[in-house]
Amino acid sequence: MSTRAEKARANRQRMRAAAQTLFAGRGYSATSMQAIADEAGMAVQTLYFTFRTKRALLSELLDVAIAGDDEPVPTLERPRILAAIDDPDPVAQLHEQARIAREIYERVAPVLQVVAHAAPGDPEIHELWMTNNEQRAVVMERMIAALAAKTPLRDGLGLAMATDVALALQSPEMYQFFTAHRGWSPSRWEQWTADALVAQLLPPR
């Protein structure tokens, strides 16, 4: 990567970090682009040139937090997801799903709170929230289809219901409730979620 590209990438990261700090502290609506630029030590024109809108900045902040990096690789093409899908052991797949979910939520929980709080009063952020939920459902449908190709599901459980169960157990709301309000550690949530996925989706053993 050229020095110029490295600098641009570093500046972009600074702006995202500044936005996350202010969104978490003040809320999305109360944070202006000028305030983000000031926090990042950048000209506000540079911020607008880079992201165009505050909504686009929040969207990228959410995407990077979910992925763990800023590489333009779709979720279903990432090595961890592909490895879980290809694992021949259904129990191992479900444990890896819980592990991946825990790692994502440890990164993304503060950003998701910003989105969730802003969504009711802002149609664009509501759309962002709904898009995130839809993307999560697409990934889960693929994971559950892979699971069902390896093993029969629990009696009476079709693909759609199994997907819904997995989405509920691995939802950000469930993670937030247990870790932020009930004092669970992320690792405890991961173990409980993995055990619950196995119990709810697979036949008794």
Side-chain angles (χ1 to χ4, degrees):
M1 188 182 295
S2 69
T3 301
R4 184 175 181 179
E6 288 177 351
K7 183 177 180 181
R9 189 172 188 174
N11 285 343
R12 198 177 191 105
Q13 291 171 342
R14 281 172 58 193
M15 289 183 273
R16 286 199 305 263
Q20 180 164 339
T21 297
L22 294 179
F23 289 158
R26 301 180 184 180
Y28 175 80
S29 298
T31 299
S32 67
M33 291 288 270
Q34 183 66 61
I36 295 169
D38 291 344
E39 179 75 15
M42 311 288 289
V44 72
Q45 292 88 348
T46 302
L47 185 66
Y48 275 110
F49 178 79
T50 304
F51 294 102
R52 300 194 316 279
T53 67
K54 188 169 65 167
R55 191 262 189 197
L57 173 52
L58 179 59
S59 179
E60 182 169 316
L61 191 61
L62 181 61
D63 288 344
V64 171
I66 291 171
D69 58 53
D70 57 4
E71 297 297 328
V73 180
T75 299
L76 285 171
E77 295 177 17
R78 288 184 168 263
R80 287 283 301 282
I81 298 294
L82 292 174
I85 287 172
D86 292 339
D87 194 318
D89 183 345
V91 173
Q93 177 189 321
L94 293 174
H95 277 265
E96 180 64 4
Q97 282 184 215
R99 186 174 301 112
I100 291 170
R102 187 259 298 170
E103 292 174 2
I104 290 173
Y105 289 144
E106 284 186 290
R107 295 190 302 265
V108 81
V111 185
L112 280 177
Q113 282 189 289
V114 171
V115 176
H117 290 159
D122 189 317
E124 287 190 338
I125 304 306
H126 176 73
E127 181 183 357
L128 179 62
W129 177 254
M130 296 303 295
T131 298
N132 176 258
N133 287 335
E134 290 164 6
Q135 291 170 340
R136 212 163 51 83
V138 168
V139 172
M140 196 61 65
E141 286 169 358
R142 178 70 182 87
M143 301 286 278
I144 296 304
L147 183 73
K150 301 168 191 175
T151 178
L153 298 176
R154 189 174 174 181
D155 283 349
L157 200 61
L159 285 175
M161 179 64 77
T163 299
D164 290 344
V165 169
L167 282 168
L169 289 172
Q170 296 174 98
S171 69
E173 293 87 356
M174 189 75 83
Y175 176 85
Q176 188 71 13
F177 174 76
F178 281 120
T179 58
H181 302 293
R182 301 303 303 169
W184 286 25
S185 67
S187 59
R188 183 181 180 188
W189 178 86
E190 177 192 326
Q191 185 61 57
W192 177 85
T193 300
D195 292 343
L197 287 169
V198 171
Q200 291 295 318
L201 300 180
L202 301 182
R205 297 193 173 195

